Amino acid sequence: MKKTEENFNFGGILIIIALIVLYNLYDVYYAEPKQKKEEEKELVDYWSKPTINFFKNFNCSNLTSDEKDISIKKFIVVETYSSKTCDLSIDYNFINFDNLKFFENYYTRNINDANVIIWIYMEEGNEEGSYTNFAKAIRYRSVINYIDKKSKTIYKKEKLDYLGEPPKEIRTKKGNFGGRQYFGEKPKKEIIFAIGREIEKYNSQ
């Protein structure tokens, strides 16, 4: 009887291992590729195939500056959380220019139609507030880069501080001093106005 129980337990373990292996194989060879395909399709549906292909070979972190006047005929906007990359994504915290009537004749998600790329990213701003535990409150900042698509150079840059007051206190673990806390609300309205002014500067004449 004891031998039978041992065989039964061993057989049960083998079944569990086999199920785990099968699940992992399903995940690697079916579920993950399927999800990746769905995500790629969603990106193409949102951005368009030409835009996807363009940004595969477009290195934002390597751009040089060349200050000049350019009239925005059509623009595309790429928002990121880093100054190191301008990878395309769908993030519902980004500004939805589709729903803004003023931009309906200027905004596009197809790079072939645009003469200007507007790249918006987030960076560290100023240190604010005074705290007895020597902690630092750092205000976030939005950076708007206006890029000439033809020459792939930044022809204008604007910086807008995030909104709001620094925290009244910054808690740290007992006995610890220092530390950093970032704060602020993204200045969406100010970004919209800034881009609107840039469009009107040359298109209202």
Side-chain angles (χ1 to χ4, degrees), residues 12-115:
I13 291 168
L14 285 178
I15 290 170
I16 291 169
I17 292 171
L19 288 174
I20 291 170
V21 170
L22 285 172
Y23 178 81
N24 286 334
L25 288 172
Y26 170 84
D27 206 36
V28 170
Y29 291 104
Y30 179 75
E32 285 180 8
K34 184 171 182 272
Q35 184 182 351
K36 190 177 177 184
K37 262 188 176 179
E38 287 171 354
E39 289 171 355
E40 286 173 354
K41 184 180 182 306
E42 188 180 10
L43 269 180
V44 170
D45 289 345
Y46 184 83
W47 285 106
S48 79
K49 191 70 174 174
T51 302
I52 299 288
N53 291 336
F54 178 89
F55 279 96
K56 278 180 182 175
N57 303 307
F58 188 68
N59 186 354
C60 285
S61 63
N62 241 357
L63 295 174
T64 57
S65 296
D66 181 17
E67 194 173 326
K68 54 189 170 184
D69 295 330
I70 290 183
S71 174
I72 298 176
K73 302 303 180 189
K74 286 269 187 185
F75 71 94
I76 189 169
V77 175
V78 180
E79 293 192 63
T80 64
Y81 294 102
S82 166
S83 62
K84 304 297 182 188
T85 176
C86 54
D87 291 340
L88 297 174
S89 64
I90 303 172
D91 188 321
Y92 297 100
N93 188 41
F94 293 161
I95 299 168
N96 190 349
F97 288 90
D98 284 316
N99 292 340
L100 300 171
K101 188 169 176 59
F102 175 82
F103 296 107
E104 63 184 357
N105 294 322
Y106 299 103
Y107 176 67
T108 182
R109 288 201 294 264
N110 189 327
I111 192 67
N112 289 345
D113 299 330
N115 72 313

Side-chain angles (χ1 to χ4, degrees), residues 9 14 20 22 29 31 41 52 57 70 74 96 123 130 135 139-140 142 144 163 172 182 196-197 200 202:
N9 289 338
L14 285 178
I20 291 170
L22 285 172
Y29 291 104
K41 184 180 182 306
I52 299 288
N57 303 307
I70 290 183
K74 286 269 187 185
N96 190 349
E123 71 173 13
S130 179
R139 185 183 295 276
Y140 276 127
S142 279
I144 311 171
L163 308 173
T172 57
Y182 295 90
R197 285 193 298 270
E200 284 186 325
Y202 302 105

